[in-house]
Short mmCIF file of all heavy atoms in Angstrom, two decimals:
data_model
loop_
_atom_site.label_atom_id
_atom_site.label_comp_id
_atom_site.label_asym_id
_atom_site.label_seq_id
_atom_site.Cartn_x
_atom_site.Cartn_y
_atom_site.Cartn_z
N VAL A 149 -15.97 -30.61 48.76
CA VAL A 149 -16.15 -29.22 49.17
C VAL A 149 -16.64 -29.20 50.62
O VAL A 149 -17.84 -29.10 50.89
CB VAL A 149 -17.15 -28.48 48.25
CG1 VAL A 149 -17.25 -27.01 48.63
CG2 VAL A 149 -16.73 -28.62 46.79
N PRO A 150 -15.73 -29.32 51.58
CA PRO A 150 -16.14 -29.29 52.99
C PRO A 150 -16.63 -27.90 53.37
O PRO A 150 -16.18 -26.89 52.82
CB PRO A 150 -14.86 -29.66 53.74
CG PRO A 150 -13.76 -29.26 52.81
CD PRO A 150 -14.27 -29.48 51.42
N VAL A 151 -17.56 -27.85 54.31
CA VAL A 151 -18.11 -26.58 54.81
C VAL A 151 -17.75 -26.45 56.28
O VAL A 151 -18.07 -27.32 57.10
CB VAL A 151 -19.64 -26.53 54.62
CG1 VAL A 151 -20.19 -25.21 55.16
CG2 VAL A 151 -20.00 -26.69 53.15
N ASP A 152 -17.08 -25.36 56.63
CA ASP A 152 -16.67 -25.11 58.01
C ASP A 152 -17.85 -24.61 58.84
O ASP A 152 -18.85 -24.13 58.30
CB ASP A 152 -15.53 -24.09 58.04
CG ASP A 152 -14.26 -24.62 57.41
OD1 ASP A 152 -14.07 -25.86 57.42
OD2 ASP A 152 -13.46 -23.81 56.89
N PRO A 153 -17.74 -24.69 60.17
CA PRO A 153 -18.83 -24.22 61.04
C PRO A 153 -19.24 -22.77 60.79
O PRO A 153 -20.39 -22.39 60.99
CB PRO A 153 -18.27 -24.40 62.45
CG PRO A 153 -17.29 -25.52 62.31
CD PRO A 153 -16.68 -25.34 60.96
N ASP A 154 -18.30 -21.93 60.31
CA ASP A 154 -18.63 -20.52 60.06
C ASP A 154 -19.26 -20.31 58.68
O ASP A 154 -19.55 -19.18 58.28
CB ASP A 154 -17.40 -19.64 60.22
CG ASP A 154 -16.32 -19.93 59.18
OD1 ASP A 154 -16.52 -20.83 58.33
OD2 ASP A 154 -15.26 -19.25 59.21
N GLY A 155 -19.46 -21.42 57.94
CA GLY A 155 -20.10 -21.34 56.64
C GLY A 155 -19.14 -21.21 55.47
O GLY A 155 -19.57 -21.28 54.31
N SER A 156 -17.86 -21.03 55.72
CA SER A 156 -16.90 -20.93 54.63
C SER A 156 -16.67 -22.31 54.02
O SER A 156 -16.82 -23.34 54.68
CB SER A 156 -15.58 -20.33 55.12
OG SER A 156 -14.99 -21.16 56.11
N LEU A 157 -16.33 -22.32 52.74
CA LEU A 157 -16.08 -23.59 52.06
C LEU A 157 -14.89 -23.44 51.14
O LEU A 157 -14.47 -22.34 50.79
CB LEU A 157 -17.32 -24.04 51.30
CG LEU A 157 -17.97 -23.09 50.28
CD1 LEU A 157 -17.29 -23.17 48.92
CD2 LEU A 157 -19.45 -23.40 50.12
N GLY A 158 -14.36 -24.57 50.74
CA GLY A 158 -13.24 -24.57 49.83
C GLY A 158 -13.21 -25.85 49.03
O GLY A 158 -13.80 -26.86 49.43
N ILE A 159 -12.57 -25.81 47.88
CA ILE A 159 -12.40 -26.99 47.05
C ILE A 159 -11.04 -27.60 47.38
O ILE A 159 -10.01 -26.95 47.20
CB ILE A 159 -12.49 -26.63 45.56
CG1 ILE A 159 -13.86 -26.03 45.26
CG2 ILE A 159 -12.24 -27.86 44.69
CD1 ILE A 159 -13.97 -25.42 43.87
N VAL A 160 -11.05 -28.83 47.90
CA VAL A 160 -9.82 -29.45 48.38
C VAL A 160 -9.63 -30.81 47.70
O VAL A 160 -10.42 -31.22 46.86
CB VAL A 160 -9.85 -29.61 49.92
CG1 VAL A 160 -9.98 -28.23 50.58
CG2 VAL A 160 -11.01 -30.49 50.36
N ASP A 161 -8.57 -31.49 48.08
CA ASP A 161 -8.27 -32.79 47.48
C ASP A 161 -9.47 -33.73 47.59
O ASP A 161 -10.15 -33.78 48.62
CB ASP A 161 -7.07 -33.45 48.18
CG ASP A 161 -5.76 -32.78 47.81
OD1 ASP A 161 -5.71 -32.14 46.74
OD2 ASP A 161 -4.80 -32.91 48.57
N GLY A 162 -9.72 -34.50 46.54
CA GLY A 162 -10.86 -35.40 46.50
C GLY A 162 -10.72 -36.58 47.44
O GLY A 162 -9.62 -36.87 47.95
N ILE A 163 -11.84 -37.25 47.69
CA ILE A 163 -11.83 -38.43 48.57
C ILE A 163 -12.15 -39.70 47.78
O ILE A 163 -12.37 -40.75 48.35
CB ILE A 163 -12.84 -38.27 49.73
CG1 ILE A 163 -14.25 -37.98 49.22
CG2 ILE A 163 -12.37 -37.16 50.67
CD1 ILE A 163 -15.31 -37.91 50.31
N SER A 164 -12.20 -39.57 46.45
CA SER A 164 -12.43 -40.74 45.60
C SER A 164 -11.10 -41.47 45.36
O SER A 164 -10.05 -41.06 45.86
CB SER A 164 -13.07 -40.31 44.28
OG SER A 164 -13.38 -41.44 43.48
N ALA A 165 -11.17 -42.55 44.59
CA ALA A 165 -10.00 -43.33 44.26
C ALA A 165 -10.26 -44.06 42.95
O ALA A 165 -11.42 -44.19 42.53
CB ALA A 165 -9.70 -44.34 45.37
N PRO A 166 -9.24 -44.55 42.26
CA PRO A 166 -9.44 -45.20 40.98
C PRO A 166 -10.46 -46.34 41.04
O PRO A 166 -10.38 -47.21 41.91
CB PRO A 166 -8.05 -45.72 40.63
CG PRO A 166 -7.11 -44.78 41.31
CD PRO A 166 -7.80 -44.43 42.61
N GLY A 167 -11.42 -46.29 40.12
CA GLY A 167 -12.40 -47.36 39.99
C GLY A 167 -13.64 -47.23 40.85
O GLY A 167 -14.57 -48.02 40.72
N LEU A 168 -13.70 -46.24 41.73
CA LEU A 168 -14.89 -46.06 42.56
C LEU A 168 -16.04 -45.52 41.70
O LEU A 168 -15.84 -44.83 40.72
CB LEU A 168 -14.62 -45.13 43.73
CG LEU A 168 -13.59 -45.62 44.76
CD1 LEU A 168 -13.57 -44.70 45.97
CD2 LEU A 168 -13.86 -47.06 45.18
N SER A 169 -17.26 -45.83 42.13
CA SER A 169 -18.42 -45.49 41.30
C SER A 169 -19.61 -45.07 42.15
O SER A 169 -19.63 -45.25 43.37
CB SER A 169 -18.83 -46.68 40.43
OG SER A 169 -19.33 -47.75 41.23
N LEU A 170 -20.60 -44.50 41.48
CA LEU A 170 -21.91 -44.23 42.06
C LEU A 170 -22.95 -44.59 41.02
O LEU A 170 -22.68 -44.57 39.83
CB LEU A 170 -22.04 -42.77 42.51
CG LEU A 170 -21.98 -41.70 41.42
CD1 LEU A 170 -23.37 -41.28 40.97
CD2 LEU A 170 -21.19 -40.50 41.89
N THR A 171 -24.15 -44.95 41.50
CA THR A 171 -25.23 -45.36 40.60
C THR A 171 -26.49 -44.59 40.91
O THR A 171 -26.89 -44.48 42.07
CB THR A 171 -25.49 -46.88 40.70
OG1 THR A 171 -24.30 -47.59 40.33
CG2 THR A 171 -26.62 -47.29 39.77
#
Side-chain angles (χ1 to χ4, degrees):
V149 184
V151 179
D152 293 333
D154 65 359
S156 61
L157 54 84
I159 299 170
V160 300
D161 287 338
I163 56 176
S164 184
L168 296 188
S169 68
L170 64 96
T171 299

